[in-house]
Amino acid sequence: MSTKPGAIQSSHFINWLYQNEELWRQQYPHLYVHPSAYLPRPLFGLYMQNLFEDSRTLAWQYRIPFTRLHCEASDIVPTEEGYLVITDNDKRIKADYLLLCCGNLPSTKFKAHHQRSSYFNSPYPGYVIAEQIDKDQPVCIAGTNLSAIDTIISLTEHGHRGKIICVSRRGRFPSVRGTQNPKHKPRYLTESAIMALAKTHDGITLEDVWHLLNQELLAVGGRGIDIQEILSEGTTAYDYLCQEISKATQVPRLWQSIAYSLNSVIDLIWHNLRKEDKRKFYCEYRDLFLAYRVSFPLENARRLQKLMETGQLNIHCGIQRVGYDEAENCYNIELIDNAWNHEMRVRSRYFINATGYNLSVGESEVALIQNLLKRKLATADPFGGFRTDFKTGALLSSSGLPQRHLFALGSLTTGTYFFTNAMDVNARHTSERAGHIVEQIAIAALSQTRDAV
């Protein structure tokens, strides 16, 4: 087990489950806990909440004042001493250092339907949505990635009997995680190799990354990347899922092992990509990459397969428009399948947006985000989130200079670090931010001591 700052201790969650069974067993009476089990996300949320309380207790033991306010930060005003945080209930909080950990920004898609009671702009929490939906009525889910899968599982677990229709551009689920995947340590896509390429060629290209990925695959006995196999064009959603289930159980999926191992260097790769290659990847390959990088477990894949076989679950591609029939109180979703040159329309009583969070801070309707941009304390990154300093995570002003003592974490830094929704990546960034802030506080304290002398 790694002991480096920010390292994920993979056994800690499992040990916590064994030691705190009274906290979760009533809600999950049939859950079998073992190291390789795929466990519900709400259970991990309970674990995180428990760790938060432990951390708060630990802070008090070290005489570190810890205050939690149940309100929303709506504005940040710079002062001579630091910052003034203004909340939605008009509280004023002085801060020397600020770290924005706002999570994912609400989706801005399907705005025309945001006020309808039958529309859900987020698929979470799933059990709350399930309670508000007629179990015999059809439900349409926009998206086919992990959050959409969570939604399908949640609805059926809570007794939904009606049709479930998933619509997205590609019309298929992500790849299924192999059951025999070995752990992998990068041999070619390493920090030193990336930095050497960047220094020699004034940045790296997508071709460089492709070459190194192929080297990684070949080195562990795999074969080169076959883009046509990845695309699987012309395959129906059901056939593709069946193929994925078969591949996940037959042999180790070495490319998945390699993809997961890149979490330690993925932000470095993104940072050193040439601008034109960043733009090309973002526009043409990002969604495809994430569909393969963010795989889902075999257990859920088989549940989806069964739902499709019974006809309760349908998957369609080519979503074009979502309208609403006021007379019939239902949604009309228009689709065009370009591969089969087929147009169709599906109707649904409910519509759930599971396409993911909003990446563009410029489009966000969150007051804090808008005010940060208006005050020019932050600027929008063309690839998502705010522009931040790569080394420190400090927000960059419109002039490109790091803001003093104002930092960000998570999806607000997507444009800088690219992959910001993996636990180990965020843990590493959090450790780095905390280390940097503590170092700055220590330097300031030392300077004041010297001045006093």
Side-chain angles (χ1 to χ4, degrees), residues 1 8-21 24 28 31 33-35 37-51 423:
M1 183 184 297
I8 292 293
Q9 299 179 8
S10 57
S11 62
H12 194 274
F13 178 39
I14 295 297
N15 290 336
W16 180 87
L17 291 172
Y18 289 142
Q19 295 163 11
N20 297 275
E21 190 169 350
W24 57 266
Y28 301 98
L31 185 66
V33 176
H34 57 93
Y38 177 74
L39 300 166
R41 289 196 191 188
L43 197 56
F44 192 78
L46 184 64
Y47 161 71
M48 293 297 291
Q49 184 179 0
N50 190 263
L51 288 187
M423 181 62 70

Side-chain angles (χ1 to χ4, degrees), residues 63-297:
R63 298 183 179 180
I64 301 172
F66 187 108
T67 304
R68 179 171 57 176
L69 300 176
H70 293 274
C71 51
E72 181 180 345
S74 57
D75 200 0
I76 293 173
V77 181
T79 66
E80 291 184 4
E81 296 80 18
Y83 298 94
L84 188 66
V85 179
I86 302 173
T87 70
D88 58 348
N89 56 359
D90 210 30
K91 287 184 181 294
R92 302 295 202 263
I93 305 165
K94 293 181 180 179
D96 297 314
Y97 293 81
L98 271 178
L99 182 57
L100 303 178
C101 310
C102 303
N104 300 331
L105 298 178
S107 173
T108 55
K109 295 180 181 178
F110 312 113
K111 283 187 178 181
H113 308 294
H114 281 200
Q115 302 304 315
R116 302 187 193 281
S117 61
S118 57
Y119 171 82
F120 301 90
N121 198 43
S122 167
Y124 303 109
Y127 71 92
V128 174
I129 294 176
E131 290 174 355
Q132 299 178 49
I133 287 178
D134 186 326
K135 299 186 188 309
D136 293 305
Q137 290 291 329
V139 176
C140 184
I141 300 170
T144 47
N145 287 327
L146 296 190
S147 55
I149 295 171
D150 283 345
T151 309
I152 297 166
I153 300 298
S154 179
L155 287 173
T156 53
E157 281 184 342
H158 286 85
H160 190 78
R161 297 177 291 270
K163 276 268 191 182
I164 300 175
I165 307 151
C166 277
V167 295
S168 69
R169 282 178 294 179
R170 295 186 66 241
R172 62 179 54 169
F173 293 118
S175 64
V176 178
R177 193 176 309 152
T179 59
Q180 305 172 47
N181 294 354
K183 287 190 175 180
H184 178 77
K185 183 177 180 179
R187 306 180 191 183
Y188 299 96
L189 265 168
T190 61
E191 181 178 344
S192 57
I194 294 163
M195 294 307 297
L197 269 174
K199 187 176 181 181
T200 305
H201 301 137
D202 190 27
I204 60 177
T205 65
L206 288 174
E207 188 176 347
D208 292 330
V209 178
W210 185 269
H211 175 68
L212 291 172
L213 275 172
N214 270 302
Q215 282 187 291
E216 291 283 356
L217 272 169
L218 294 172
V220 294
R223 54 191 177 87
I225 303 170
D226 185 344
I227 192 65
Q228 295 305 319
E229 181 181 348
I230 290 174
L231 292 173
S232 297
E233 292 179 342
T235 306
T236 66
Y238 175 74
D239 288 342
Y240 178 76
L241 180 62
C242 292
Q243 291 172 13
E244 281 292 302
I245 290 172
S246 177
K247 291 175 182 177
T249 55
Q250 289 178 351
V251 294
R253 310 197 79 179
L254 299 174
W255 63 268
Q256 287 184 344
S257 297
I258 291 170
Y260 275 83
S261 75
L262 297 182
N263 280 7
S264 61
V265 293
I266 195 165
D267 42 15
L268 195 65
I269 294 171
W270 180 250
H271 179 65
N272 286 285
L273 268 181
R274 293 178 182 175
K275 284 185 179 180
E276 58 270 26
D277 287 81
K278 271 189 179 182
R279 193 174 296 108
K280 183 178 179 66
F281 180 85
Y282 189 85
C283 296
E284 299 180 23
Y285 303 118
R286 178 183 177 278
D287 290 347
L288 184 62
F289 170 81
L290 292 177
Y292 278 81
R293 167 59 185 79
V294 187
S295 58
F296 72 111

